[in-house]
């Protein structure tokens, strides 16, 4: 039986800097913006699920203010994004297409 090793996440500091320069996608605040990594899976773009201690690649980030970033992690992420009417994976990929 072959052992499977986890690939290290792909980091892209230039993209993260770009994301932190944008307003929050929920409220438009542009003073406390953070890179929010999207943890939910999306088979339509081959994005795997990630868990505690395993962050997704930096291409799967969206700008959230500090308040909304904390709120994202305190709730069921998929439901939280649906409540706001945003597909976070598609949003993250669109932003990465611009900066990456």
């Amino acid at each position: 039986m072959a052992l499977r090793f986890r690939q290290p996440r792909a980091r892209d500091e230039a993209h993260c800097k770009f994301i932190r320069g944008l307003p929050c996608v929920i409220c438009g605040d542009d003073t406390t913006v953070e890179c929010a990594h999207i943890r939910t899976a999306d088979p339509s773009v081959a994005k795997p699920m990630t868990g505690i201690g395993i962050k997704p690649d930096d291409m799967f980030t969206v700008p959230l203010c500090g308040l909304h970033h904390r709120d994202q992690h305190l709730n069921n992420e998929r439901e939280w994004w649906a409540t706001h009417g945003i597909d976070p994976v598609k949003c993250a990929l669109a932003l990465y297409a611009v900066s990456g």
Side-chain angles (χ1 to χ4, degrees), residues 9-10 15 33-34 37 65 78 89-90:
R9 75 177 171 117
H15 178 65
V33 177
E34 302 171 359
H37 288 82
C65 67
R78 188 175 302 281
V89 174
K90 303 297 188 304

Side-chain angles (χ1 to χ4, degrees), residues 29 32 41 47-48 74 81 85:
D29 176 28
T32 64
K47 184 197 175 297
L74 290 175
W81 284 107

Side-chain angles (χ1 to χ4, degrees), residues 67-85:
L67 176 68
H68 285 118
H69 194 182
R70 305 299 163 266
D71 199 37
Q72 170 205 16
H73 291 301
L74 290 175
N75 294 283
N76 175 298
E77 188 175 17
R78 188 175 302 281
E79 291 174 11
W80 188 84
W81 284 107
T83 298
H84 294 289

Side-chain angles (χ1 to χ4, degrees), residues 12-72:
D12 187 336
E13 187 52 41
H15 178 65
C16 288
K17 183 177 179 180
F18 169 77
I19 292 294
R20 288 189 294 269
L22 299 173
C24 174
V25 295
I26 304 298
C27 69
D29 176 28
D30 64 355
T31 60
T32 64
V33 177
E34 302 171 359
C35 265
H37 288 82
I38 308 304
R39 296 186 184 279
T40 58
D42 188 336
S44 71
V45 296
K47 184 197 175 297
M49 178 71 133
T50 54
I52 295 172
I54 305 169
K55 276 190 179 178
D57 294 343
D58 286 344
M59 70 186 297
F60 293 108
T61 59
V62 295
L64 289 178
C65 67
L67 176 68
H68 285 118
H69 194 182
R70 305 299 163 266
D71 199 37
Q72 170 205 16

